[in-house]
Amino acid sequence: MTEPRTVDGSGLVLDDRYATDLPQLHVPWAPAPVAAPSMAHLNVGLAAELGLDAAALASADGVAVLAGNAVPAGATTVAMAYAGHQFGGFSPRLGDGRALLLGAVTAPDGSRHDVHLKGSGRTPFARGGDGRATLPAMLRELLMAEAMHALGVPTTRALAVVATGEHVMREDGPVAGGVLARTASSHLRVGTFQHAALLEQQHDEAGLVERLADHAIALHAPELAARGAGRFLALLEHVAEVQAALVARWMLLGFIHGVMNTDNMTISGESIDYGPCAFMDRVDPDTVFSSIDHGGRYAYGNQPSIAHWNLVRLAESMLPLFDDDTEVGAAAATEVLRSFPGRYRRHWVAWTRAKLGLVTEVDGDGKLGDQLLDWMHAARADFTSVFRALSASLRGDDAPLGALATVEPVQAWLADWHARLAVEGRDPVVVADAMDAVNPLYIPRNHRVEEALAAATDGDLAPFEALLEVVTHPFVWRPDAERYAEPATEAFAANHRTFCGT
Ligand code: AMP
Ligand code: MG
């Protein structure tokens, strides 16, 4: 195997805090160089936010680093170790099978961001995998992550996708290879804690979970460091809070993550691993797109309870930290875990209010939201369009609501909503504008994503770039963009399948 060379010209200055803080939780490893790397997409806006030199990233040295053909001088690249419950079954050793942490950059605002390559070759965690990723799958992750960011959802970001100039073998034959450079406030997962807890128990790594927890606190909740022995329970509570907030955002965008294994749930509260994810069009809580989710474990409507289940796994891994007396610790953790549904509901109701143009808090608002979802489900309404149709109706345009407005339960609901708006007495046009600022016109609709990726696979990136441009400005109406706002046909939606590990 060729070793990557060391270069100075990428402009990436990386610290290795994870590698030095937690030597037990990674394997130092180098990326495997590829034949003919070329930039497929560079996220110039993100580069600027991170204080990175886009020209340096686009240079030969930059492309070499983003492809894994070179490593920035001074970087320590590692494959991170983690465990995970996959579809409920526990795997003690997953880890970065085809990914590497290059280190972290510090942005001009002082924030730290991991830079991580996905598709950069086999690692000791690869098991049977080839260590590679396809170009369309990596472009898909870039598109999804950047759309979610534009929608205001906490997420990992995508800095670049490089085409490798090689083919990778997949089920249907050879596909162009790609490497994604992803950034994140960290790559700590629930599964990282599960793995640390196992190492501590089985291999006498005393204090490992505590060091991991302190590392997480320093990165994600530094204010908790001063809490002494109570900081670990406070960390659990913090993760419960950020995950409750995150999943509420997903639910109110019709987003289905698709593979909420514990190794795909972050400590930071950022969405991670856009494998089989997709946006739901026709509302149905049982919606599943992932080809491997046969039991519907990660269906749209199950996401809040799965997040809760994953948090229980986190609490189990941290249990010895909560109190010297395990029973006392378990009781305290149980109380935090029990708070999850209430936290989730608070975030969900708050966002529902915003989506419905409400600014005050009234007790029945949650019920108004529940009833909305009920009739959207009964009518198989398109999740995204309904909210825009509601704001249009406030402006006097009932056309987008169309036949829905004549259905009895919808009429009754509209009357309740209007009565609720009347309590606030705001100008309907002002309300409509506020709604349009939080309800997207454009999301990455499955049929448009497929279309763009098919063209990209054939070497034409123009449809991908056009779609990316639209979904990264999701609230701004454009002439000529109608096709991006239209739901797929019922037949397309019924047969649409997504894949992970591709
Ligand atoms: P994911 O479903 O993408 O979250 O991945 C689950 C696990 O499988 C992780 O440990 C990945 O690193 C690993 N994995 C997925 N695809 C590959 C691949 N092509 N080669 C090696 N490891 C992989
Ligand atoms: Mg994963």
Side-chain angles (χ1 to χ4, degrees), residues 438-455:
V438 294
N439 295 316
L441 257 173
Y442 309 113
I443 53 160
R445 290 188 177 272
N446 300 318
H447 56 309
R448 297 299 168 224
V449 174
E450 292 306 309
E451 191 179 87
L453 294 181

Side-chain angles (χ1 to χ4, degrees), residues 426-443:
R426 299 163 79 213
D427 177 344
V429 174
V430 172
V431 175
D433 288 348
M435 291 173 68
D436 287 356
V438 294
N439 295 316
L441 257 173
Y442 309 113
I443 53 160

Side-chain angles (χ1 to χ4, degrees), residues 82 86 94-98 126-127 129-132 263-264 273:
Y82 49 85
Q86 300 181 299
L94 287 172
D96 289 333
R98 56 166 171 173
R127 299 178 302 271
D130 64 357
R132 290 301 179 188
D263 51 304
N264 291 336
D273 273 1

Side-chain angles (χ1 to χ4, degrees), residues 36-62:
S38 62
M39 190 75 82
H41 183 89
L42 176 63
N43 188 342
V44 175
L46 176 60
E49 280 176 48
L50 299 180
L52 301 175
D53 179 350
L57 287 171
S59 73
D61 277 3

Side-chain angles (χ1 to χ4, degrees), residues 80 82-83 86-87 93-99 118-119 121-123 125-134 141 170 182 189 257 259 261 263-264 272-276 292 500-502:
M80 295 172 78
Y82 49 85
Q86 300 181 299
F87 291 91
R93 192 171 184 270
L94 287 172
D96 289 333
R98 56 166 171 173
K118 186 165 173 178
R122 300 189 80 237
T123 77
F125 301 108
R127 299 178 302 271
D130 64 357
R132 290 301 179 188
T134 69
E141 171 152 350
R170 290 295 180 259
R182 169 164 87 185
R189 308 148 190 265
H257 182 282
V259 61
N261 294 335
D263 51 304
N264 291 336
I272 193 170
D273 273 1
Y274 294 93
I292 59 168
C500 43
T502 45

Side-chain angles (χ1 to χ4, degrees), residues 199-211:
L199 290 182
E200 184 160 337
Q201 285 157 24
Q202 296 179 349
H203 301 282
D204 216 18
E205 289 286 358
L208 183 57
V209 180
E210 181 167 337
R211 285 202 299 288

